[in-house]
Amino acid sequence: MCASYRFLCVCRRFAELPACVASLPALQNLSVAANDLTNLPDTLGALTALTKLDVRDNSLGALPDCVASLERLQILSVQNNKLTALPEGLGLLPALRELGASSNKLRTLPHDVSGWARLKKLIADHNELEEWDADLTGLAVLTELDLSFNKLRALPPSLETLPALCVVRLGHNRLAELPPLDCVPCLAELSAPSNALTALPPLPPSLETLD
């Protein structure tokens, strides 16, 4: 296999990632979606040029810690697996722009997200999230946050400090209140049905859709 490959798609119902993948140091885009993978090898950390990793639609119970060492990673797609947690170091990835983690069994998200200065989309709906007490103040370019269909009883209070946030989906949780959002200048969509809310917080004049 050519070591200079930059894109590789593996989609033949593999139960294990082929060992030869680790010998592709120039690889930038790796898709192993829709296989039968139950784990990923630590050798994945050798792919230091990787900017996009797609492992959707497998049976992964965990991600190796080495994923958090992929400092060039911009897009991580782990939807529809069996993940109960993400590597804590994932919150320190400086280039990450999109994290898709829908339809897993996640109970929490990384607590230290100080590396997510470039993150624009965080999609973690349909999990088992019960809490997330991260400090979000560094997520200055986050535009879309989807935490719907979880078990959240509270949100990070720093949610109200996000200047670029446009879309917030929080429906089908156990929230009794929302933080004030009137200081989120770009907020255009807020969805929070099927919670325990008895009142709405202050909202910004930019809001276009409220559910």
Side-chain angles (χ1 to χ4, degrees):
M1 186 174 290
C2 180
S4 63
Y5 280 161
R6 295 188 177 182
F7 171 75
L8 179 63
C9 179
V10 179
C11 51
R12 295 191 176 184
R13 311 307 301 186
F14 281 100
E16 296 182 355
L17 191 67
C20 57
V21 173
S23 63
L24 302 173
L27 195 65
Q28 297 179 10
N29 186 339
L30 174 60
S31 174
V32 292
N35 280 281
D36 294 320
L37 301 175
T38 57
N39 60 76
L40 294 172
D42 290 334
T43 53
L44 200 64
L47 304 179
T48 55
L50 209 61
T51 61
K52 182 176 181 180
L53 177 59
D54 186 350
V55 298
R56 291 175 293 174
D57 302 315
N58 280 284
S59 297
L60 297 171
L63 294 179
D65 289 339
C66 66
V67 173
S69 69
L70 301 174
E71 294 188 352
R72 297 185 183 181
L73 195 63
Q74 298 179 18
I75 301 174
L76 177 59
S77 302
V78 299
Q79 300 95 318
N80 197 25
N81 278 283
K82 299 178 181 179
L83 302 174
T84 58
L86 297 174
E88 184 60 32
L90 206 65
L92 303 178
L93 286 179
L96 197 64
R97 293 190 288 109
E98 297 183 15
L99 174 57
S102 305
S103 300
N104 278 283
K105 298 180 179 181
L106 297 175
R107 295 183 179 179
T108 189
L109 294 170
H111 294 281
D112 185 353
V113 295
S114 57
W116 284 356
R118 298 182 182 180
L119 192 70
K120 293 185 176 181
K121 291 186 178 182
L122 175 54
I123 312 299
D125 58 288
H126 291 86
N127 278 285
E128 298 180 8
L129 299 175
E130 297 180 359
E131 62 175 358
W132 189 33
D133 57 0
D135 180 359
L136 307 183
T137 52
L139 279 63
V141 298
L142 187 70
T143 61
E144 183 175 349
L145 176 65
D146 190 342
L147 300 175
S148 58
F149 292 91
N150 279 286
K151 300 177 181 180
L152 291 168
R153 296 184 182 274
L155 297 170
S158 49
L159 188 68
E160 62 188 274
T161 68
L162 304 180
L165 196 59
C166 294
V167 177
V168 179
R169 299 189 179 99
L170 303 168
H172 300 269
N173 277 284
R174 300 173 182 177
L175 299 169
E177 61 180 2
L178 300 178
L181 297 171
D182 53 328
C183 293
V184 183
C186 298
L187 189 62
E189 177 183 334
L190 173 62
S191 177
S194 299
N195 277 286
L197 301 173
T198 57
L200 289 174
L203 298 171
S206 59
L207 196 66
E208 298 175 1
T209 302
L210 176 61
D211 180 11

